[in-house]
Structure formats: C-alpha cells, structure tokens
Amino acid sequence: MSATDVTRRTTAASRRNASRASRPDAPEAPGGPGRTDVPGVTPPRRRRVHASGVAYVVVGTVLALLFIAPVLYILFRSFLPADADARGIGFESIATLTLRNYTKVFDPSVDLRQNIVNSFVVAISVAVLVAIVSTLAAYALSKIRFRGSTIVFVLLLAPLVVPFQGLLTPLSIVLGKLGLLDSLAGVVLVLVTLQLPFSVFVMRNTFDGIPSELEDAAAIDGAGTGRILRSVMLPLAWPGLVTTALFGFMAGWNDLLSSVTFLSTDSKYTLPLALSSISTSFKIPGVPVIDPGLLTAVACVATVPVVVLFLALQRYYTRGLIGGSIK
C-alpha cells in the first residue's frame, strides 16, 4: 500500500469522526457504550415506563376489588337460607345457596306491583319538580342580580343544617291542614322541599360557571329571559340538571322515613316500606326473627333501578357534580 492510499484512508476516517462528533444524537458505533439494540438489554426509560404501568394496573385492581367486595358479599348473602347466620357463613355456604329469597319477594301472593308503581310515581315526580324549581331559582340567583340575593341564597341553604327527624312533627301538622296526609302528593312535596337546598346550590354554581357574554349576546339578538334560559343556558347546564334530577329520583325511590310517617294505607305504600314489612315478617316456628337472606334480597331488588339509572347517566352526573360544587 502506497503512502498516498494511507493518507487518503486517514483523512476519510478523520472526516467521519468529525461528522459523528458534530451530531451528538447520531447512533454510536456498533458495540459502543450507547448501544441500545443489544438483545436482552432494556433502555432505562422504557424500563421505568413499564414498571409504572404495572404498578398502575396492580393498584387499580386492588382498589376495584376493595370497592366491589361488599357488593359481591351482599349479592352472595341474598342467596343464603334463613339459618345461614346460625350455621356460620364460610366457603361451605356455597353448597346451601338457594333462590328461595327471590322467589318469596316475587311471589304473586305478595303482589308488589302497586308498591312499585307508587315508588316510580314518587321518584319521578320528585326528580321532575326538583329539576324545574331548582333551575328557575338558581338562574334567578345567579344571573338576575337584585338586592338581598345573597341573603335569599343563604336562607335557602339553611334547612341543610336541620335534621329531618326534627321536621316530622311540623310537617305532619302542615300536611294535615292541607289535607295531604296519607297521600303520595304529600310525600312528594316533603321530599321536594328537602332536596331543594342542595339542588339550588348545585344549579346556582353551574350557572355561575357559564360566561355572561353568552347571555348578553342572546339579549342583543332580541331573546327574552325565558328564551335565553331555554335555548342558551339549559344546554350548557345540562350536566347540573341531570345531577339534581338523579339525586331527586334516588331520594324518592329510597325514601322510607317519609312513607312510614305520612302513609297509613297499604295500597299507598312505596316499595321500600312494603319490602321492609315483608323482610321482617318471616318467622321460624315459634320465634319471630329477621331473615338475613330475605333482607339482602330485598335490598338487591330495591337498588336495581337506581344502579341502572346511575350507570346510564354517570358521565353527566360526574360533570354536573364537579361543576356544581366549585366555581
């Protein structure tokens, strides 16, 4: 090899090294210290990402099991016989599972159809009235400024600090004078009154989160107050409206104390009141007891409509509750 060839090769190698040094993010020579494609070697960043993903899955799974375990236990207990507690509940209880509890709840002789209808009437009425009244009141308190609006809002929230049990006697007197004792209408009015403070609070904060410029633009276009509320505000406040209606439905569907206090006719009983009488009327010969299996079966039956409704409206409920709780 001549001296000229050696000089050319040395010059070319120097140029390659200089070019590689001027590009710090260029791949290093095979086998170099920065090599990442060696089989069996994982880059540190990729390893950290993989570990965080595994931790997220593990923690999420544990939390999900902790939340769902009580629900699964109640469902399992609803299939146990009446003497399950006396025997002791364990893995051997699986062999004693029975449909007797659900058969007794849905037995034609029990005839819960009228009670189910009564509960739906109360729940839907409470949901609709709470949504309408709280929307109108909250819009006035949020967008229509007048002297003393803050005082009115505080007075509306005042019933939240009064225990419901302390209102039973005055409510009974008022309903008696109005002729609404032992009627579903009286129960609906009581539940609407109790739900309004929280519902107005949620809807007022929801309206506060809507820019006033939208209302001003609609007013410039000639829209009145009713048109602005219906066409501009309500579409934006839909999550808060669904939240208040959902809370109203749950209050009407799960209500027991108001029904026990203000209803006395069997045909007007709501479902929780009827189911409570069924679950406590079971008797072992000679000994009156509460049947735990039947009681949990009753609870499972009563929660189905609320669970279905919540799952169907969950996205609106979450957004409305967060948006209505903070400004």
Side-chain angles (χ1 to χ4, degrees), residues 102-314:
Y102 289 97
T103 303
K104 187 175 181 61
V105 172
F106 293 106
D107 193 297
S109 61
V110 177
D111 193 14
L112 295 175
R113 291 174 296 179
Q114 185 59 47
N115 305 116
I116 294 174
V117 171
N118 293 341
S119 282
F120 271 112
V121 169
V122 171
I124 294 175
S125 300
V126 172
V128 172
L129 289 176
V130 163
I132 294 175
V133 176
S134 63
T135 298
L136 297 176
Y139 179 74
L141 292 171
S142 175
K143 299 301 181 181
I144 303 176
R145 297 301 178 183
F146 57 91
R147 182 178 299 178
S149 60
T150 303
I151 298 177
V152 173
F153 180 63
V154 172
L155 290 177
L156 285 175
L157 296 182
L160 290 176
V161 301
V162 181
F164 176 47
Q165 293 80 358
L167 299 175
L168 291 178
T169 300
L171 286 174
S172 299
I173 296 173
V174 172
L175 292 180
K177 292 183 177 180
L178 294 176
L180 295 177
L181 277 178
D182 194 23
S183 68
L184 296 180
V187 175
V188 169
L189 290 179
V190 169
L191 294 176
V192 170
T193 303
L194 295 175
Q195 288 295 310
L196 275 180
F198 172 77
S199 301
V200 172
F201 172 78
V202 171
M203 290 302 298
R204 180 179 184 266
N205 289 343
T206 300
F207 283 128
D208 284 344
I210 300 176
S212 299
E213 290 77 9
L214 297 176
E215 186 180 11
D216 296 337
I220 292 174
D221 291 338
T225 303
R227 180 65 181 274
I228 293 174
L229 175 61
R230 183 175 65 255
S231 302
V232 178
M233 293 297 176
L234 284 184
L236 299 176
W238 184 248
L241 186 63
V242 171
T243 300
T244 57
L246 183 58
F247 269 93
F249 182 90
M250 290 191 297
W253 181 264
N254 296 325
D255 173 69
L256 177 62
L257 186 56
S258 298
S259 300
V260 170
T261 305
F262 305 120
L263 298 178
S264 56
T265 304
D266 292 347
S267 61
K268 297 179 182 179
Y269 281 0
T270 56
L271 184 60
L273 183 54
L275 292 181
S276 66
S277 63
I278 293 174
S279 61
T280 57
S281 62
F282 179 81
K283 294 182 180 181
I284 295 177
V287 182
V289 296
I290 295 178
D291 184 349
L294 183 59
L295 187 62
T296 50
V298 166
C300 292
V301 170
T303 56
V304 168
V306 176
V307 171
V308 172
L309 188 62
F310 175 80
L311 293 178
L313 302 176
Q314 182 180 10

Side-chain angles (χ1 to χ4, degrees), residues 9-27:
R9 291 186 178 183
T10 303
T11 303
S14 300
R15 289 177 179 175
R16 287 196 299 270
N17 292 335
S19 175
R20 187 176 297 111
S22 64
R23 293 180 293 141
D25 31 338

